[in-house]
Amino acid sequence: MLLGCEEVYGLKKMTEGGITGHLIGYALPMIFGNIFQLTYNAVDSIIIGKAAGEAAVAAVAAANPVMTILILGVSGLCIGASVLMSEFYGSGDGECLKKEIATTLVAGGVFSAVVLVLGFLLSEALLLWMNVPVDALDMAMLYLRIIFVGFPFTFLYNALSSALRSVGDAGTPVKFLMLASVCNGLLDVVFICLLELGVAGAALATVIAEGLSAVLCLVYVYRHIPMLRILPGELKADRELLKRTLRHGCVTALQQSCQPVGKALIQGCINQQGTSVIAAFNAVNRVDDFAFIPEQSISHGMMTCVAQNRGAGNSRRVQETLKKGLMLEVLYWVCICAVTLLLRTPVMKLFAPPGSTEMIRAGVEYLTIMAFLYVMPAFTNGMQGFFRGMGNMKATLAGTAIQIFVRAAFVYILVPRMGMTGAAYACMAGWTLMLLYEVPYYFYCKKYKWVN
Protein backbone atom coordinates (compact mmCIF):
# COMPACT_ATOMS: atom_id res chain seq x y z
CA MET A 1 0.00 0.00 0.00
CA LEU A 2 2.66 2.50 1.00
CA LEU A 3 4.95 1.72 -1.92
CA GLY A 4 2.11 2.20 -4.38
CA CYS A 5 1.31 5.62 -2.95
CA GLU A 6 4.98 6.59 -3.11
CA GLU A 7 5.07 5.79 -6.81
CA VAL A 8 1.92 7.74 -7.60
CA TYR A 9 2.39 10.80 -5.42
CA GLY A 10 6.19 11.03 -5.22
CA LEU A 11 6.35 10.59 -1.45
CA LYS A 12 9.84 9.78 -0.20
CA LYS A 13 11.22 7.88 2.72
CA MET A 14 14.26 9.28 4.53
CA THR A 15 15.56 5.77 5.19
CA GLU A 16 17.59 5.85 1.98
CA GLY A 17 19.49 8.44 -0.05
CA GLY A 18 21.55 11.43 1.04
CA ILE A 19 20.59 12.77 4.48
CA THR A 20 21.70 16.35 3.78
CA GLY A 21 19.57 16.45 0.66
CA HIS A 22 16.58 15.07 2.56
CA LEU A 23 16.96 17.70 5.31
CA ILE A 24 17.28 20.58 2.86
CA GLY A 25 14.40 19.32 0.71
CA TYR A 26 12.23 18.92 3.79
CA ALA A 27 13.22 22.21 5.44
CA LEU A 28 12.86 24.56 2.47
CA PRO A 29 9.09 24.13 2.01
CA MET A 30 8.59 24.43 5.76
CA ILE A 31 10.65 27.63 5.82
CA PHE A 32 8.47 29.20 3.15
CA GLY A 33 5.33 27.90 4.83
CA ASN A 34 6.23 29.23 8.25
CA ILE A 35 7.26 32.58 6.78
CA PHE A 36 3.85 32.89 5.20
CA GLN A 37 2.20 31.86 8.46
CA LEU A 38 4.13 34.47 10.43
CA THR A 39 3.30 36.99 7.73
CA TYR A 40 -0.29 36.81 9.00
CA ASN A 41 0.66 38.52 12.24
CA ALA A 42 3.43 40.67 10.75
CA VAL A 43 1.04 42.18 8.22
CA ASP A 44 -1.45 42.79 11.03
CA SER A 45 1.19 44.64 13.04
CA ILE A 46 2.39 46.79 10.15
CA ILE A 47 -1.08 47.80 8.96
CA ILE A 48 -2.40 48.36 12.49
CA GLY A 49 0.64 50.48 13.33
CA LYS A 50 0.17 52.66 10.28
CA ALA A 51 -3.64 52.84 10.30
CA ALA A 52 -4.72 52.48 13.95
CA GLY A 53 -1.82 53.81 16.03
CA GLU A 54 0.54 52.70 18.79
CA ALA A 55 -2.19 51.73 21.28
CA ALA A 56 -3.63 49.23 18.81
CA VAL A 57 -0.15 47.76 18.20
CA ALA A 58 0.27 47.39 21.97
CA ALA A 59 -3.12 45.64 22.21
CA VAL A 60 -2.15 43.02 19.61
CA ALA A 61 1.25 42.59 21.28
CA ALA A 62 -0.35 42.07 24.68
CA ALA A 63 -2.84 39.51 23.32
CA ASN A 64 -0.27 37.59 21.29
CA PRO A 65 1.35 35.54 24.12
CA VAL A 66 -2.03 34.17 25.29
CA MET A 67 -3.00 33.23 21.75
CA THR A 68 0.39 31.65 21.10
CA ILE A 69 0.23 29.45 24.20
CA LEU A 70 -2.84 27.67 22.86
CA ILE A 71 -1.73 27.51 19.24
CA LEU A 72 1.60 25.97 20.22
CA GLY A 73 -0.22 23.57 22.52
CA VAL A 74 -2.08 22.14 19.53
CA SER A 75 1.10 22.26 17.47
CA GLY A 76 2.84 20.25 20.17
CA LEU A 77 0.13 17.61 20.15
CA CYS A 78 0.48 17.30 16.37
CA ILE A 79 4.28 17.16 16.54
CA GLY A 80 4.11 14.37 19.09
CA ALA A 81 1.64 12.48 16.90
CA SER A 82 3.76 13.03 13.79
CA VAL A 83 6.68 11.21 15.41
CA LEU A 84 4.49 8.11 15.62
CA MET A 85 3.22 8.67 12.08
CA SER A 86 6.80 8.89 10.80
CA GLU A 87 7.75 5.68 12.64
CA PHE A 88 4.81 3.80 11.12
CA TYR A 89 5.60 5.16 7.67
CA GLY A 90 9.29 4.27 8.01
CA SER A 91 8.42 0.71 9.03
CA GLY A 92 5.77 0.35 6.29
CA ASP A 93 2.79 -0.06 8.63
CA GLY A 94 0.01 1.72 6.71
CA GLU A 95 -2.80 0.46 8.94
CA CYS A 96 -1.31 1.94 12.09
CA LEU A 97 -0.58 5.15 10.21
CA LYS A 98 -4.27 5.68 9.43
CA LYS A 99 -5.31 4.75 12.95
CA GLU A 100 -2.86 7.28 14.36
CA ILE A 101 -4.25 10.05 12.15
CA ALA A 102 -7.81 9.27 13.23
CA THR A 103 -6.79 9.20 16.88
CA THR A 104 -5.07 12.58 16.55
CA LEU A 105 -8.10 14.16 14.90
CA VAL A 106 -10.44 12.96 17.65
CA ALA A 107 -8.16 14.03 20.52
CA GLY A 108 -7.39 17.38 18.95
CA GLY A 109 -11.03 18.08 18.15
CA VAL A 110 -12.02 17.67 21.78
CA PHE A 111 -9.14 19.90 22.89
CA SER A 112 -10.11 22.61 20.39
CA ALA A 113 -13.68 22.70 21.66
CA VAL A 114 -12.48 23.12 25.25
CA VAL A 115 -10.11 25.92 24.23
CA LEU A 116 -12.85 27.76 22.37
CA VAL A 117 -15.15 27.83 25.41
CA LEU A 118 -12.50 28.61 28.02
CA GLY A 119 -10.94 31.24 25.78
CA PHE A 120 -14.09 33.32 25.79
CA LEU A 121 -14.55 32.95 29.53
CA LEU A 122 -10.98 33.63 30.70
CA SER A 123 -9.51 36.08 28.18
CA GLU A 124 -10.14 39.19 30.29
CA ALA A 125 -8.72 37.61 33.46
CA LEU A 126 -5.57 36.50 31.62
CA LEU A 127 -4.96 39.95 30.18
CA LEU A 128 -5.46 41.61 33.55
CA TRP A 129 -3.00 39.14 35.10
CA MET A 130 -0.45 40.19 32.45
CA ASN A 131 -0.75 43.88 33.48
CA VAL A 132 -2.06 44.98 30.07
CA PRO A 133 -2.43 48.79 30.05
CA VAL A 134 -5.97 50.07 30.49
CA ASP A 135 -5.98 51.87 27.14
CA ALA A 136 -5.25 48.57 25.34
CA LEU A 137 -7.30 46.10 27.44
CA ASP A 138 -10.63 46.22 25.57
CA MET A 139 -8.96 45.98 22.16
CA ALA A 140 -6.74 43.10 23.27
CA MET A 141 -9.71 41.18 24.66
CA LEU A 142 -11.73 41.67 21.46
CA TYR A 143 -8.79 40.51 19.36
CA LEU A 144 -8.32 37.37 21.47
CA ARG A 145 -11.97 36.34 21.43
CA ILE A 146 -12.22 36.57 17.66
CA ILE A 147 -9.01 34.56 17.29
CA PHE A 148 -10.47 31.82 19.53
CA VAL A 149 -13.30 31.34 17.01
CA GLY A 150 -10.74 30.26 14.44
CA PHE A 151 -8.89 27.92 16.79
CA PRO A 152 -10.49 24.68 15.41
CA PHE A 153 -9.19 25.65 11.97
CA THR A 154 -5.71 26.06 13.44
CA PHE A 155 -5.85 22.55 14.87
CA LEU A 156 -7.19 20.95 11.68
CA TYR A 157 -4.49 22.49 9.52
CA ASN A 158 -1.72 21.49 11.95
CA ALA A 159 -3.00 17.90 12.18
CA LEU A 160 -3.30 17.38 8.43
CA SER A 161 -0.04 19.11 7.57
CA SER A 162 1.77 17.00 10.20
CA ALA A 163 0.36 13.86 8.58
CA LEU A 164 1.53 14.98 5.14
CA ARG A 165 5.01 15.86 6.40
CA SER A 166 5.36 12.54 8.20
CA VAL A 167 5.12 10.77 4.82
CA GLY A 168 7.57 13.15 3.17
CA ASP A 169 5.21 15.75 1.66
CA ALA A 170 6.37 19.03 3.19
CA GLY A 171 5.53 21.10 0.11
CA THR A 172 1.77 20.76 -0.24
CA PRO A 173 0.84 22.50 3.05
CA VAL A 174 3.02 25.44 1.95
CA LYS A 175 0.89 26.03 -1.13
CA PHE A 176 -2.20 26.40 0.99
CA LEU A 177 -0.46 28.77 3.40
CA MET A 178 0.64 30.89 0.45
CA LEU A 179 -2.95 31.26 -0.70
CA ALA A 180 -4.11 31.93 2.86
CA SER A 181 -1.44 34.59 3.42
CA VAL A 182 -2.51 36.46 0.28
CA CYS A 183 -6.10 36.26 1.50
CA ASN A 184 -5.03 37.54 4.93
CA GLY A 185 -3.22 40.54 3.48
CA LEU A 186 -6.09 41.54 1.23
CA LEU A 187 -8.62 41.23 4.04
CA ASP A 188 -6.39 43.33 6.31
CA VAL A 189 -6.56 46.16 3.82
CA VAL A 190 -10.34 45.84 3.50
CA PHE A 191 -11.16 45.41 7.19
CA ILE A 192 -8.60 47.78 8.73
CA CYS A 193 -7.93 50.47 6.14
CA LEU A 194 -11.27 50.66 4.31
CA LEU A 195 -13.81 49.57 6.92
CA GLU A 196 -11.74 50.92 9.85
CA LEU A 197 -12.44 47.87 12.07
CA GLY A 198 -9.07 48.14 13.84
CA VAL A 199 -7.90 45.09 15.80
CA ALA A 200 -11.22 43.34 15.16
CA GLY A 201 -10.52 43.54 11.43
CA ALA A 202 -7.03 42.11 11.90
CA ALA A 203 -8.43 39.19 13.91
CA LEU A 204 -11.21 38.50 11.40
CA ALA A 205 -8.73 38.48 8.52
CA THR A 206 -6.53 35.97 10.35
CA VAL A 207 -9.44 33.65 11.22
CA ILE A 208 -10.74 33.60 7.64
CA ALA A 209 -7.25 32.89 6.31
CA GLU A 210 -6.73 30.06 8.79
CA GLY A 211 -10.06 28.55 7.78
CA LEU A 212 -9.06 28.66 4.13
CA SER A 213 -5.75 26.86 4.72
CA ALA A 214 -7.47 24.13 6.78
CA VAL A 215 -10.22 23.49 4.23
CA LEU A 216 -7.78 23.36 1.31
CA CYS A 217 -5.58 20.88 3.18
CA LEU A 218 -8.58 18.69 4.03
CA VAL A 219 -9.84 18.63 0.43
CA TYR A 220 -6.38 17.76 -0.90
CA VAL A 221 -5.89 14.83 1.48
CA TYR A 222 -9.32 13.38 0.74
CA ARG A 223 -8.89 13.68 -3.02
CA HIS A 224 -5.26 12.72 -3.53
CA ILE A 225 -3.68 10.83 -0.58
CA PRO A 226 -5.59 7.59 0.12
CA MET A 227 -3.20 6.46 2.86
CA LEU A 228 -4.11 9.54 4.90
CA ARG A 229 -7.81 9.68 4.09
CA ILE A 230 -10.04 9.10 7.14
CA LEU A 231 -13.66 8.28 6.32
CA PRO A 232 -16.47 9.13 8.80
CA GLY A 233 -16.73 5.53 10.01
CA GLU A 234 -12.96 5.44 10.68
CA LEU A 235 -12.94 8.61 12.77
CA LYS A 236 -12.44 7.01 16.14
CA ALA A 237 -9.63 6.83 18.66
CA ASP A 238 -7.62 3.65 19.07
CA ARG A 239 -7.13 3.16 22.82
CA GLU A 240 -3.50 2.04 22.72
CA LEU A 241 -2.50 4.62 20.13
CA LEU A 242 -4.32 7.29 22.10
CA LYS A 243 -2.17 6.47 25.12
CA ARG A 244 1.00 6.71 23.06
CA THR A 245 -0.18 9.86 21.33
CA LEU A 246 -1.04 11.53 24.60
CA ARG A 247 2.22 10.40 26.15
CA HIS A 248 4.18 11.96 23.29
CA GLY A 249 1.73 14.73 22.47
CA CYS A 250 0.98 16.01 25.95
CA VAL A 251 4.64 16.27 26.85
CA THR A 252 5.35 17.97 23.53
CA ALA A 253 2.34 20.27 23.94
CA LEU A 254 3.57 21.19 27.39
CA GLN A 255 7.03 21.78 25.97
CA GLN A 256 5.59 23.92 23.16
CA SER A 257 3.52 25.86 25.66
CA CYS A 258 6.49 26.59 27.91
CA GLN A 259 7.77 29.20 25.48
CA PRO A 260 4.61 31.34 25.37
CA VAL A 261 4.01 30.89 29.10
CA GLY A 262 7.48 32.26 29.69
CA LYS A 263 6.85 34.98 27.11
CA ALA A 264 3.65 35.90 28.93
CA LEU A 265 5.70 36.35 32.10
CA ILE A 266 8.22 38.38 30.13
CA GLN A 267 5.44 40.44 28.57
CA GLY A 268 4.22 41.26 32.09
CA CYS A 269 7.60 42.87 32.80
CA ILE A 270 7.71 44.62 29.41
CA ASN A 271 4.19 45.99 29.93
CA GLN A 272 5.46 47.92 32.94
CA GLN A 273 8.07 49.77 30.86
CA GLY A 274 5.64 51.90 28.82
CA THR A 275 3.91 51.86 25.43
CA SER A 276 7.05 52.53 23.36
CA VAL A 277 8.90 49.56 24.89
CA ILE A 278 5.85 47.32 24.42
CA ALA A 279 5.67 48.27 20.75
CA ALA A 280 9.44 47.79 20.28
CA PHE A 281 9.32 44.38 21.97
CA ASN A 282 6.45 43.32 19.71
CA ALA A 283 8.44 44.34 16.63
CA VAL A 284 11.67 42.56 17.58
CA ASN A 285 9.69 39.45 18.51
CA ARG A 286 8.42 39.39 14.92
CA VAL A 287 12.01 39.62 13.69
CA ASP A 288 13.07 36.85 16.07
CA ASP A 289 10.23 34.66 14.84
CA PHE A 290 11.35 35.06 11.22
CA ALA A 291 14.99 34.45 12.16
CA PHE A 292 14.12 31.23 13.99
CA ILE A 293 12.03 29.74 11.15
CA PRO A 294 14.88 28.03 9.22
CA GLU A 295 16.44 26.74 12.46
CA GLN A 296 13.11 25.24 13.51
CA SER A 297 12.42 23.87 10.02
CA ILE A 298 15.78 22.07 9.93
CA SER A 299 14.91 20.73 13.39
CA HIS A 300 11.58 19.36 12.09
CA GLY A 301 13.40 17.70 9.20
CA MET A 302 15.83 16.11 11.66
CA MET A 303 12.90 14.88 13.75
CA THR A 304 11.20 13.19 10.79
CA CYS A 305 14.44 11.72 9.44
CA VAL A 306 15.45 10.34 12.85
CA ALA A 307 11.97 8.92 13.50
CA GLN A 308 11.71 7.22 10.10
CA ASN A 309 15.17 5.67 10.41
CA ARG A 310 14.49 4.63 13.98
CA GLY A 311 11.32 2.91 12.76
CA ALA A 312 13.41 1.16 10.10
CA GLY A 313 16.05 0.18 12.69
CA ASN A 314 18.91 2.10 11.04
CA SER A 315 20.91 3.54 13.95
CA ARG A 316 23.82 4.69 11.77
CA ARG A 317 21.62 7.07 9.80
CA VAL A 318 20.05 8.29 13.05
CA GLN A 319 23.43 9.54 14.32
CA GLU A 320 24.41 10.89 10.92
CA THR A 321 21.22 12.95 10.86
CA LEU A 322 22.28 14.79 14.02
CA LYS A 323 25.73 15.60 12.66
CA LYS A 324 24.57 16.87 9.28
CA GLY A 325 21.58 18.69 10.74
CA LEU A 326 23.78 20.71 13.12
CA MET A 327 26.11 21.58 10.24
CA LEU A 328 23.15 23.03 8.33
CA GLU A 329 22.07 24.99 11.41
CA VAL A 330 25.47 26.67 11.73
CA LEU A 331 25.63 27.54 8.02
CA TYR A 332 22.24 29.21 8.33
CA TRP A 333 23.36 31.24 11.36
CA VAL A 334 26.19 32.82 9.34
CA CYS A 335 23.60 34.06 6.85
CA ILE A 336 21.02 35.34 9.35
CA CYS A 337 23.66 37.17 11.39
CA ALA A 338 24.74 39.17 8.32
CA VAL A 339 21.17 39.89 7.22
CA THR A 340 20.07 41.05 10.67
CA LEU A 341 23.00 43.45 11.00
CA LEU A 342 22.34 44.86 7.55
CA LEU A 343 18.57 45.34 7.86
CA ARG A 344 17.95 45.99 11.56
CA THR A 345 17.23 49.72 11.18
CA PRO A 346 15.00 49.53 8.06
CA VAL A 347 13.01 46.69 9.64
CA MET A 348 12.35 48.64 12.82
CA LYS A 349 11.23 51.66 10.76
CA LEU A 350 8.82 49.38 8.90
CA PHE A 351 7.08 48.34 12.12
CA ALA A 352 7.17 51.73 13.83
CA PRO A 353 4.34 54.28 13.66
CA PRO A 354 5.36 57.79 12.49
CA GLY A 355 7.53 59.62 15.02
CA SER A 356 8.36 56.59 17.21
CA THR A 357 12.11 57.27 17.44
CA GLU A 358 12.48 55.69 20.88
CA MET A 359 10.82 52.48 19.69
CA ILE A 360 13.23 52.30 16.72
CA ARG A 361 16.33 52.98 18.85
CA ALA A 362 15.45 50.28 21.40
CA GLY A 363 14.72 47.71 18.70
CA VAL A 364 17.96 48.37 16.82
CA GLU A 365 20.03 47.92 20.00
CA TYR A 366 18.31 44.60 20.71
CA LEU A 367 18.78 43.24 17.17
CA THR A 368 22.46 44.22 17.08
CA ILE A 369 23.15 41.87 19.98
CA MET A 370 20.76 39.14 18.85
CA ALA A 371 22.38 38.85 15.41
CA PHE A 372 25.39 37.19 17.07
CA LEU A 373 23.34 35.21 19.57
CA TYR A 374 21.20 33.44 16.94
CA VAL A 375 23.91 30.74 16.76
CA MET A 376 22.80 29.43 20.16
CA PRO A 377 19.20 28.52 19.18
CA ALA A 378 20.66 26.94 16.02
CA PHE A 379 22.23 24.30 18.27
CA THR A 380 19.30 24.04 20.71
CA ASN A 381 16.79 23.57 17.89
CA GLY A 382 18.94 20.86 16.31
CA MET A 383 19.20 18.98 19.58
CA GLN A 384 15.45 19.32 20.19
CA GLY A 385 14.63 17.86 16.77
CA PHE A 386 16.94 14.92 17.40
CA PHE A 387 15.45 14.16 20.82
CA ARG A 388 11.90 14.32 19.41
CA GLY A 389 12.80 11.92 16.61
CA MET A 390 14.18 9.51 19.23
CA GLY A 391 10.86 9.69 21.08
CA ASN A 392 12.51 11.36 24.09
CA MET A 393 9.94 14.11 24.64
CA LYS A 394 10.88 14.59 28.28
CA ALA A 395 14.30 15.87 27.22
CA THR A 396 12.73 18.50 24.94
CA LEU A 397 10.39 19.58 27.73
CA ALA A 398 13.22 19.91 30.25
CA GLY A 399 15.44 21.84 27.83
CA THR A 400 12.70 24.27 26.84
CA ALA A 401 11.59 24.83 30.44
CA ILE A 402 15.15 25.60 31.50
CA GLN A 403 15.63 28.05 28.64
CA ILE A 404 12.45 30.06 28.90
CA PHE A 405 12.17 30.35 32.66
CA VAL A 406 15.84 31.28 33.07
CA ARG A 407 15.29 33.88 30.37
CA ALA A 408 12.17 35.20 32.12
CA ALA A 409 14.04 35.52 35.42
CA PHE A 410 16.85 37.49 33.79
CA VAL A 411 14.34 39.75 32.01
CA TYR A 412 12.95 40.86 35.36
CA ILE A 413 16.49 41.48 36.60
CA LEU A 414 18.00 43.17 33.51
CA VAL A 415 15.24 44.96 31.58
CA PRO A 416 14.37 47.53 34.30
CA ARG A 417 18.08 48.39 34.46
CA MET A 418 19.21 48.01 30.83
CA GLY A 419 16.09 48.27 28.69
CA MET A 420 15.83 46.18 25.52
CA THR A 421 19.51 45.18 25.60
CA GLY A 422 18.76 43.44 28.88
CA ALA A 423 16.12 41.38 27.07
CA ALA A 424 18.78 40.19 24.58
CA TYR A 425 21.22 39.19 27.32
CA ALA A 426 18.38 37.35 29.07
CA CYS A 427 17.96 35.25 25.92
CA MET A 428 21.67 34.42 26.01
CA ALA A 429 21.40 33.24 29.63
CA GLY A 430 18.48 30.95 28.81
CA TRP A 431 20.13 29.34 25.78
CA THR A 432 23.40 28.83 27.66
CA LEU A 433 21.71 26.89 30.47
CA MET A 434 19.69 24.90 27.94
CA LEU A 435 22.85 23.74 26.12
CA LEU A 436 24.54 22.91 29.41
CA TYR A 437 21.67 20.48 29.99
CA GLU A 438 21.17 19.09 26.46
CA VAL A 439 24.75 18.31 25.41
CA PRO A 440 25.74 16.21 28.47
CA TYR A 441 22.34 14.52 28.39
CA TYR A 442 22.85 13.52 24.74
CA PHE A 443 26.13 11.77 25.57
CA TYR A 444 24.52 10.12 28.58
CA CYS A 445 21.68 8.76 26.41
CA LYS A 446 24.09 7.65 23.70
CA LYS A 447 26.18 5.74 26.21
CA TYR A 448 23.17 3.90 27.61
CA LYS A 449 21.48 3.28 24.21
CA TRP A 450 18.71 5.82 24.63
CA VAL A 451 17.06 4.31 27.69
CA ASN A 452 14.19 6.70 28.52
Side-chain angles (χ1 to χ4, degrees):
M1 173 182 168
L2 295 180
L3 291 176
C5 290
E6 287 167 5
E7 292 171 357
V8 174
Y9 298 110
L11 304 182
K12 296 180 180 179
K13 287 186 177 181
M14 295 183 175
T15 53
E16 54 190 28
I19 290 177
T20 301
H22 280 314
L23 294 178
I24 294 174
Y26 189 98
L28 284 178
M30 287 197 69
I31 290 170
F32 289 119
N34 285 323
I35 287 175
F36 279 115
Q37 192 168 28
L38 284 177
T39 299
Y40 290 173
N41 292 332
V43 169
D44 289 346
S45 297
I46 293 170
I47 294 179
I48 289 174
K50 302 299 182 183
E54 197 170 87
V57 175
V60 175
N64 194 54
V66 178
M67 179 182 68
T68 307
I69 288 173
L70 298 173
I71 291 176
L72 289 182
V74 162
S75 175
L77 177 65
C78 294
I79 289 172
S82 71
V83 172
L84 295 175
M85 295 177 198
S86 297
E87 288 182 26
F88 294 141
Y89 182 64
S91 64
D93 192 340
E95 182 180 356
C96 281
L97 175 61
K98 291 193 70 171
K99 287 183 178 180
E100 174 59 28
I101 296 170
T103 299
T104 302
L105 290 174
V106 172
V110 173
F111 179 70
S112 296
V114 172
V115 165
L116 179 60
V117 174
L118 292 182
F120 266 84
L121 296 176
L122 301 179
S123 56
E124 182 176 9
L126 287 171
L127 293 170
L128 287 172
W129 174 72
M130 292 172 57
N131 300 316
V132 174
V134 175
D135 59 346
L137 179 61
D138 288 341
M139 286 188 290
M141 187 167 59
L142 177 61
Y143 182 83
L144 265 184
R145 286 178 170 172
I146 296 174
I147 289 295
F148 283 134
V149 173
F151 193 74
F153 295 125
T154 302
F155 158 71
L156 182 59
Y157 173 78
N158 275 276
L160 295 176
S161 62
S162 292
L164 286 168
R165 289 166 183 150
S166 72
V167 297
D169 186 356
T172 296
V174 173
K175 300 175 185 177
F176 303 140
L177 278 176
M178 290 175 66
L179 292 173
S181 67
V182 172
C183 172
N184 188 85
L186 293 175
L187 291 175
D188 271 334
V189 174
V190 173
F191 291 156
I192 300 173
C193 298
L194 299 182
L195 300 181
E196 299 182 351
L197 296 179
V199 294
L204 285 171
T206 301
V207 167
I208 293 172
E210 288 175 344
L212 177 63
S213 63
V215 170
L216 289 174
C217 204
L218 181 66
V219 171
Y220 178 83
V221 166
Y222 272 71
R223 286 186 177 181
H224 302 294
I225 314 291
M227 75 166 76
L228 304 181
R229 184 189 304 150
I230 306 300
L231 301 177
E234 300 172 323
L235 193 60
K236 55 186 178 181
D238 180 276
R239 181 174 298 180
E240 291 304 315
L241 286 178
L242 180 60
K243 292 179 181 178
R244 295 183 64 187
T245 301
L246 292 177
R247 186 165 60 247
H248 281 354
C250 287
V251 175
T252 307
L254 184 58
Q255 178 260 322
Q256 291 285 96
S257 298
C258 278
Q259 284 283 3
V261 167
K263 286 184 177 180
L265 295 173
I266 292 168
Q267 189 74 51
C269 177
I270 296 295
N271 289 344
Q272 299 175 33
Q273 311 305 314
T275 304
S276 293
V277 175
I278 295 175
F281 189 70
N282 177 58
V284 297
N285 272 343
R286 303 297 188 197
V287 177
D288 284 344
D289 287 342
F290 279 100
F292 295 151
I293 283 174
E295 295 174 344
Q296 294 165 350
S297 298
I298 294 169
S299 173
H300 279 285
M302 293 171 67
M303 177 193 76
T304 302
C305 190
V306 168
Q308 285 194 14
N309 281 285
R310 190 163 69 98
N314 194 333
S315 59
R316 181 189 62 81
R317 286 178 66 88
V318 166
Q319 295 299 322
E320 191 177 353
T321 298
L322 175 63
K323 178 181 177 180
K324 294 188 174 180
L326 291 179
M327 289 175 62
L328 288 176
E329 295 276 19
V330 173
L331 288 175
Y332 164 73
W333 166 71
V334 174
C335 298
I336 194 58
C337 178
V339 171
T340 302
L341 292 174
L342 181 65
L343 299 180
R344 60 192 186 277
T345 300
V347 166
M348 285 305 302
K349 289 181 178 179
L350 179 65
F351 281 99
S356 298
T357 55
E358 178 60 25
M359 172 185 171
I360 295 172
R361 182 199 62 78
V364 169
E365 289 181 355
Y366 174 92
L367 292 174
T368 301
I369 299 170
M370 289 297 293
F372 297 98
L373 296 182
Y374 287 144
V375 67
M376 301 182 77
F379 281 103
T380 61
N381 275 295
M383 295 299 296
Q384 293 285 79
F386 182 80
F387 281 129
R388 286 195 191 104
M390 293 300 296
N392 195 330
M393 306 304 178
K394 294 179 180 179
T396 66
L397 172 59
T400 300
I402 290 170
Q403 184 272 137
I404 192 58
F405 292 115
V406 168
R407 176 188 170 191
F410 274 86
V411 162
Y412 277 86
I413 296 170
L414 299 178
V415 169
R417 297 169 175 80
M418 303 174 64
M420 290 294 292
T421 57
Y425 289 124
C427 289
M428 181 180 69
W431 289 323
T432 299
L433 268 294
M434 185 177 184
L435 286 171
L436 288 175
Y437 161 76
E438 286 184 335
V439 175
Y441 185 67
Y442 162 76
F443 286 106
Y444 168 81
C445 290
K446 185 178 181 181
K447 180 178 179 180
Y448 293 102
K449 299 181 179 180
W450 300 98
V451 177
N452 295 317

